[in-house]
Amino acid sequence: MKLNWREMGAGLIVPTLLILFWQLVTSMAWVNPQVLPSPWAVVIKWLEYASPYEAYDAASMNRLSWLFSGELIRDTMGSMYRVVVGFVIGAGLALPLGLAMGASQRVYAWLNPLMQVLRPIPPIAYIPLSILWFGLGNPPAIFLIALGAFFPVLMNTIAGVRHVDSIYIRAARNLGASQTTLFLRVMLPASVPYILSGVRIGIGTAFIVVIVSEMIAVNNGLGFRILEAREYFWSDKIIAGMFSIGMLGLAIDLAMNKLNNHLLRWHRGLEN
């Protein structure tokens, strides 16, 4: 897929206009700068947030470790570690369960009522229990992230398997395919677009949950840093942290979109 510079340019118009309006509001002193700092003040704080703590000393420091010693880098790495571990656990449990529920009416009948009761409960509601069960630190945050990723992957996997075109199933059975072959060669490949869509939604949900969990259960990460900045009324650092979260989320979504396009080339080729 070729990069469409015209579309990218069009997508920058609205953010640019919003930043210009933001600059106008702050430069005209229509709001207290302590409440809403100027865009330039946020950029300065973001650079300070990302910069290494100390000046480089070749005698006592490794240059690579020095470059990654900034508060923003360490917070981002901490948040991404929790997202990856929590998502792998949540999706790793949801995928086989979703395949089983989608392929077997009996398993679906057994488990679907329980899933429908648990699914509307937001992961945030589990915060008191997660702290009670796991204490503070990474374990409760990873537990909440796994919950956030579990249900999008589960429900999309079930939908993908159960919505396989019946023509494919009848054709495979007429050709003598066994139940195992039918599942592995027909139902599973046909449900891949649904599964990947669930994975994309699950990663987005996991990233939302990690910010909330870091505000409560851990002492580092992007969410923790925003809460810390609020305590000291550092509004420029709050917005810088929010901007970092947004850019990281955008990068993750773009990467997932490219991965989906790559893995579904065969599917799109059939449609086109």
Side-chain angles (χ1 to χ4, degrees):
M1 181 180 295
K2 293 183 178 180
L3 191 62
N4 193 324
W5 293 103
R6 180 173 296 181
E7 288 185 2
M8 290 185 61
L12 292 174
I13 292 176
V14 174
T16 302
L17 291 176
L18 288 175
I19 292 174
L20 291 176
F21 178 73
W22 176 11
Q23 181 63 46
L24 174 65
V25 169
T26 54
S27 62
M28 298 296 290
W30 292 345
V31 295
N32 187 338
Q34 192 68 31
V35 175
L36 182 64
S38 68
W40 183 244
V42 172
V43 170
I44 296 299
K45 179 56 70 173
W46 188 89
L47 293 174
E48 177 185 324
Y49 186 20
S51 300
Y53 274 122
E54 304 174 356
Y56 177 65
D57 183 2
S60 60
M61 297 180 181
N62 177 276
R63 181 171 289 274
L64 184 61
S65 61
W66 174 76
L67 287 173
F68 284 88
S69 66
E71 197 174 57
L72 174 62
I73 304 297
R74 291 188 288 111
D75 286 340
T76 300
M77 292 173 63
S79 296
M80 287 305 301
Y81 168 77
R82 298 179 188 103
V83 167
V84 170
V85 174
F87 176 79
V88 168
I89 293 174
L93 294 173
L95 186 58
L97 183 60
L99 292 172
M101 291 178 66
S104 171
Q105 184 60 39
R106 180 176 296 179
V107 175
Y108 183 83
W110 286 346
L111 297 179
N112 185 58
L114 176 62
M115 295 299 106
Q116 295 305 324
V117 170
L118 296 177
R119 185 169 64 92
I121 303 174
I124 299 172
Y126 290 91
I127 287 176
L129 283 177
S130 68
I131 295 176
L132 181 65
W133 291 343
F134 302 105
L136 299 176
N138 284 332
I142 291 172
F143 169 73
L144 295 172
I145 294 163
L147 275 176
F150 178 82
F151 286 104
V153 176
L154 175 72
M155 301 312 295
N156 277 49
T157 302
I158 295 172
V161 176
R162 292 175 68 87
H163 286 81
V164 175
D165 197 321
S166 60
I167 295 176
Y168 301 149
I169 297 177
R170 289 199 299 269
R173 284 174 176 166
N174 289 337
L175 292 172
S178 65
Q179 190 64 32
T180 301
T181 302
L182 179 65
F183 176 76
L184 294 176
R185 301 297 297 272
V186 178
M187 301 175 73
L188 183 58
S191 62
V192 167
Y194 286 84
I195 295 173
L196 291 178
S197 178
V199 167
R200 188 176 180 184
I201 297 171
I203 289 180
T205 305
F207 200 73
I208 294 171
V209 174
V210 72
I211 301 303
V212 177
S213 65
E214 286 175 347
M215 291 182 173
I216 297 166
V218 299
N219 60 359
N220 59 52
L222 295 170
F224 169 81
R225 206 61 63 187
I226 289 176
L227 188 65
E228 179 190 57
R230 188 210 65 174
E231 297 293 333
Y232 294 97
F233 213 57
W234 295 335
S235 54
D236 51 358
K237 191 170 185 178
I238 292 174
I239 298 175
M242 292 169 62
F243 175 77
S244 301
I245 293 168
M247 296 303 296
L248 188 58
L250 175 63
I252 293 173
D253 188 69
L254 289 175
M256 283 303 305
N257 187 45
K258 286 187 175 295
L259 179 62
N260 286 2
N261 290 336
H262 176 72
L263 295 178
L264 295 178
R265 286 178 300 174
W266 61 272
H267 178 73
R268 301 182 191 281
L270 289 175
E271 291 183 344
N272 296 330

